[in-house]
Amino acid sequence: SDATAAIAELRTHYLTLAATIILAACGIVGVLTHRLTYSIRALTRIARSDAVKAEDLAAALERPDEVGQLAVAFAGLVGRMEKKTREVTQRADEIAELNRTLENRVLERTHELSESRARAQTIIDHAIDGIVTTDESGIILSCNPAAEQVLGYAAAAAIGTPFADVISVPWSSRSFDVACAPDKPFEALSVREDGTSTPLSMAVAPIVIADRPVRLVMFRDISDQRALDGEIERYFSELQAQTVRL
């Protein structure tokens, strides 16, 4: 019985020693695991944060082992990413400012063009000379009030009409063609709807409006000038006749 008791006591001693060793080993493993995974967990925690800062990462991962080196490398990567993000943000701000400047310039230029067109249209509308624009085939595109008065056609009726239908030239038997008009002023006749005609002094110039080639036709009524020329001619004829009689 004494031997049995000794064996049982020895067994209990060994079991206690084994349990102590196992617990110690578990504790050591836990500590080692904690130390080995600390940097990785810190990396994960910092990486998941809303604002990753390289200085916080480096301060949290000051270790000389391989995991610490990984942390330093990751910190460098974060720093480069932050620098790149700042550069991209700065560039985006610069582009946005350039866009605002360009938009303002476009608005200013559009306003200037609108004012310029309004001034040009006002000048055309109040010009004493008739001004007509036609396409290259001679179809009337626009005419000012003076042109309406000289030609005897309202703008609504004239637009879309061949210019050759309202103009004739005594020096040609063919229909008037704006594309073949002389490059210097010449005389022509306006043909009114009532059949009457008016002598005109006319000039044609090719221009471009909104990237579209057109013909600018300017003319004025020279009826008064013709009448004055006739009076002067009669005066000199009478003067010559009186000189001969003397």
Side-chain angles (χ1 to χ4, degrees):
S1 60
D2 293 338
T4 301
I7 292 172
E9 183 179 355
L10 183 61
R11 180 183 298 171
T12 301
H13 176 72
Y14 280 126
L15 288 175
T16 302
L17 180 61
T20 302
I21 293 173
I22 291 172
L23 290 174
C26 289
I28 293 172
V29 169
V31 171
L32 291 176
T33 301
H34 177 76
R35 291 181 62 82
L36 288 173
T37 60
Y38 170 76
S39 296
I40 296 176
R41 287 186 286 107
L43 284 172
T44 303
R45 183 177 63 255
I46 295 175
R48 288 178 177 176
S49 64
D50 294 334
V52 181
K53 295 183 178 180
E55 56 270 21
D56 296 340
L57 182 62
L61 304 175
E62 293 181 353
R63 292 185 55 171
D65 55 9
E66 291 80 0
V67 177
Q69 294 175 3
L70 175 62
V72 173
F74 183 75
L77 176 61
V78 170
R80 289 191 294 274
M81 290 177 63
E82 288 183 343
K83 181 179 178 181
K84 190 64 177 179
T85 300
R86 287 193 298 269
E87 292 176 353
V88 170
T89 302
Q90 181 179 359
R91 186 57 180 167
D93 293 340
E94 292 174 355
I95 292 175
E97 181 62 26
L98 289 174
N99 286 336
R100 286 191 292 270
T101 302
L102 180 59
E103 289 175 357
N104 291 333
R105 289 180 180 177
V106 169
L107 290 175
E108 291 175 358
R109 184 57 178 165
T110 301
H111 182 67
E112 291 175 357
L113 289 175
S114 297
E115 289 187 342
S116 178
R117 289 173 181 171
R119 286 194 297 269
Q121 190 61 49
T122 300
I123 293 172
I124 291 173
D125 290 343
H126 293 81
I128 61 174
D129 291 340
I131 300 176
V132 169
T133 58
T134 75
D135 61 17
E136 292 188 301
S137 63
I139 302 300
I140 296 176
L141 303 176
S142 68
C143 61
N144 70 340
E148 292 180 293
Q149 183 176 1
V150 172
L151 299 177
Y153 288 85
I159 293 175
T161 301
F163 194 57
D165 290 354
V166 297
I167 292 293
S168 67
V169 286
W171 38 263
S172 175
S173 60
R174 297 183 302 173
S175 297
F176 177 69
D177 185 358
V178 292
C180 299
D183 57 0
K184 58 183 180 180
F186 58 93
E187 292 187 359
L189 293 174
S190 69
V191 181
R192 294 172 173 267
E193 286 185 305
D194 58 8
T196 60
S197 61
T198 303
L200 304 175
S201 176
M202 182 177 296
V204 179
I207 61 173
V208 176
I209 299 178
D211 298 328
R212 180 184 182 184
V214 300
R215 301 283 173 168
L216 177 66
V217 185
M218 296 172 288
F219 50 87
R220 66 175 51 183
D221 185 347
I222 57 173
S223 299
D224 293 341
Q225 181 180 339
R226 286 284 184 86
L228 179 60
D229 290 342
E231 291 292 335
I232 293 175
E233 185 176 352
R234 284 192 296 271
Y235 172 76
F236 278 105
S237 296
E238 293 175 359
L239 182 61
Q240 186 177 9
Q242 290 177 6
T243 301
V244 171
R245 286 196 298 270
L246 293 176

